[in-house]
Amino acid sequence: QTLVAAPASIFSGSFEIREQQLSADAGSIVFTNEDMPQHLHLVRADGSGYRQLTTGEDRNRQGSWSPDGQWIAFQTNHGESSLALIHPDGGGWQSLGVGRGFTNPRWSPDGTKLLAYNTSSGGVILDLADGFATPARQDLPPIAPGVLFWPVAFSPDARWVAGTAVAAGQVSDIYLWSLADRAYRRLPWRRVSLVDWNLAFLDNDHLSYGSAGELWLGDLRGGEPRRLYAAAPGHRLSNFSASRDGRTLTWIDIADESDIWLMALDDRKAR
């Protein structure tokens, strides 16, 4: 896997950017500003068409695109549930009936489920088959006594959920949860100077992750991870996301300010 061209900054606003996610078709990005009140913003992947999606005094953040691009799931402090959904045009606000305390929603490839987690009790899978108001909830077990699993990504074939081990509030190793076997698998990839815990699948076998100021690609089938990109000195990479075809990655570059960067990868056949 190699670069088609050098990564490029595609958006830098007058505020610090907290998080971002690329849509499945690589056409648009939803992101959040750092300062309160936090809100969802949209921009096209070429940097055009910027607009603010949510307004008011409520906190709205951690936006996540549905695979068909029709919904954005996000965390909010508005209402009785901490998760909600909205259309990209700003309409159709719906509360997700899970109660308070959940964070970081992420969609399954077919759009029927959402990952989320409670920082105190660990991860959940929410089944949306019966509607947004009454999702069925599957609690993911701890990895070990005192070690929670915070899930952040489904594999494209929905066989695996990738996430991180968290003990006493400290994020450490990358783990996979097998939906078929209901068992954890630790991935032996070393991360240092962790900025955040986001992970992004490029296909069923390849998972991208950050370590210090570097972007790495690991193969679930074995072998050593490979470095895809290293940031300039003094910069940190955070909050990775990938398109559905695995050919486009975005992240936040953090230095004195923050901006969103995009990287195009070569054809998947080259892997």
Side-chain angles (χ1 to χ4, degrees), residues 165-180:
V166 183
Q170 298 299 308
V171 177
S172 59
D173 295 327
I174 302 173
Y175 275 80
L176 298 176
W177 169 257
S178 169
L179 286 103

Side-chain angles (χ1 to χ4, degrees), residues 208-232:
S208 61
Y209 65 98
S211 181
E214 299 175 339
L215 171 62
W216 289 79
L217 183 67
D219 192 327
L220 274 57
R221 298 166 298 186
E224 290 296 318
R226 186 158 52 88
R227 188 175 68 181
L228 286 178
Y229 176 72

Side-chain angles (χ1 to χ4, degrees), residues 13-266:
S14 59
F15 45 73
E16 186 175 353
I17 298 170
R18 175 187 173 89
E19 63 232 344
Q20 63 83 36
Q21 193 189 58
L22 182 67
S23 61
D25 65 0
S28 299
I29 295 168
V30 59
F31 64 94
T32 310
N33 59 286
E34 180 65 62
D35 294 336
M36 295 294 182
Q38 292 166 344
H39 282 296
L40 302 177
H41 307 255
L42 296 179
V43 69
R44 296 190 188 97
D46 62 5
S48 67
Y50 163 77
R51 62 190 177 88
Q52 184 171 324
L53 182 60
T54 61
T55 59
E57 296 303 314
D58 296 315
R59 182 188 67 206
N60 302 300
R61 63 187 186 184
Q62 300 171 352
S64 176
W65 290 96
S66 65
D68 62 7
Q70 298 301 303
W71 292 99
I72 295 170
F74 60 99
Q75 185 202 52
T76 184
N77 62 0
H78 175 79
E80 297 180 355
S81 178
S82 57
L83 300 180
L85 303 102
I86 195 171
H87 290 306
D89 64 3
W93 177 301
Q94 294 195 45
S95 181
L96 195 63
V98 294
R100 306 299 302 174
F102 291 94
T103 189
N104 208 46
R106 291 291 184 265
W107 295 85
S108 64
D110 64 1
T112 64
K113 296 178 177 64
L114 277 171
L115 298 172
Y117 57 83
N118 183 300
T119 57
S120 299
S121 59
V124 298
I125 299 177
L126 303 172
D127 192 324
L128 308 177
D130 293 330
F132 297 148
T134 56
R137 173 176 151 186
Q138 174 190 344
D139 292 281
L140 299 177
I143 294 170
V147 183
L148 300 177
F149 179 62
W150 287 2
V152 293
F154 278 98
S155 61
D157 59 7
R159 292 180 57 239
W160 300 101
V161 170
T164 54
V166 183
Q170 298 299 308
V171 177
S172 59
D173 295 327
I174 302 173
Y175 275 80
L176 298 176
W177 169 257
S178 169
L179 286 103
D181 300 333
R182 294 188 55 81
Y184 287 111
R185 171 187 166 192
R186 177 183 171 274
L187 296 176
W189 304 337
R190 182 170 176 265
R191 289 189 293 181
V192 298
S193 302
L194 185 70
V195 175
D196 73 353
W197 46 90
N198 279 297
L199 307 160
F201 279 95
L202 299 192
D203 59 25
N204 293 324
D205 298 315
H206 294 86
L207 186 66
S208 61
Y209 65 98
S211 181
E214 299 175 339
L215 171 62
W216 289 79
L217 183 67
D219 192 327
L220 274 57
R221 298 166 298 186
E224 290 296 318
R226 186 158 52 88
R227 188 175 68 181
L228 286 178
Y229 176 72
H235 290 244
R236 294 178 295 152
L237 309 183
S238 172
N239 223 263
F240 301 100
S241 68
S243 59
R244 179 171 42 222
D245 64 8
R247 296 181 63 185
T248 307
L249 278 168
T250 54
W251 66 83
I252 297 172
D253 185 292
I254 303 171
D256 296 332
E257 298 178 353
S258 60
D259 53 0
I260 300 173
W261 281 58
L262 181 144
M263 180 170 74
L265 302 175
D266 64 2

